[in-house]
Amino acid sequence: MNTEIDLHNEIRNLPPNMQKEVWDFIQFVKNRHGLPVTKKSDSSPTASSGSSLFQELEQIGFVGCIASDAQLSQTYKTRLDFSNKCGDKS
């Protein structure tokens, strides 16, 4: 059994939006480790308009980072600004 072919078939059998997530993840890992990122061609089954999933989450403020001490898990309520929080407080 050829694992590479099996993996390719698994990805091809995913819905297009999930194929794009796999593609975005691969590009994110490559970029993080300094490897060249592959450009998507228009004929690619994962090609779609818009930015990567990570970039979209970062743009809406879902992904971010802060500098803090080792006690953040205990002091986060006093260290983070929740004034712009959305949703019900119940």
Side-chain angles (χ1 to χ4, degrees):
M1 193 183 308
N2 188 336
T3 306
E4 186 174 319
I5 292 173
D6 291 342
L7 182 58
H8 180 72
N9 286 334
E10 286 291 326
I11 294 170
R12 270 191 13 201
N13 290 330
L14 292 171
N17 62 323
M18 292 176 79
Q19 289 180 21
K20 182 175 181 334
E21 285 186 44
V22 171
W23 175 266
D24 289 344
F25 177 73
I26 292 168
Q27 300 311 307
F28 170 76
V29 170
K30 287 172 72 174
N31 186 44
R32 185 174 188 163
H33 292 280
L35 300 171
V37 176
T38 308
K39 299 284 184 192
K40 289 187 264 185
S41 67
D42 289 337
S43 62
S44 168
T46 60
S48 68
S49 61
S51 60
S52 73
L53 176 62
F54 178 80
Q55 290 170 337
E56 291 174 18
L57 291 173
E58 192 172 39
Q59 285 176 347
I60 64 170
F62 189 76
V63 175
C65 64
I66 63 168
S68 185
D69 58 25
Q71 301 302 316
L72 183 61
S73 65
Q74 297 171 358
T75 62
Y76 72 94
K77 288 183 179 180
T78 60
R79 302 279 315 257
L80 300 177
D81 178 12
F82 291 100
S83 61
N84 212 10
K85 180 180 173 185
C86 298
D88 195 6
K89 291 186 177 187
S90 57

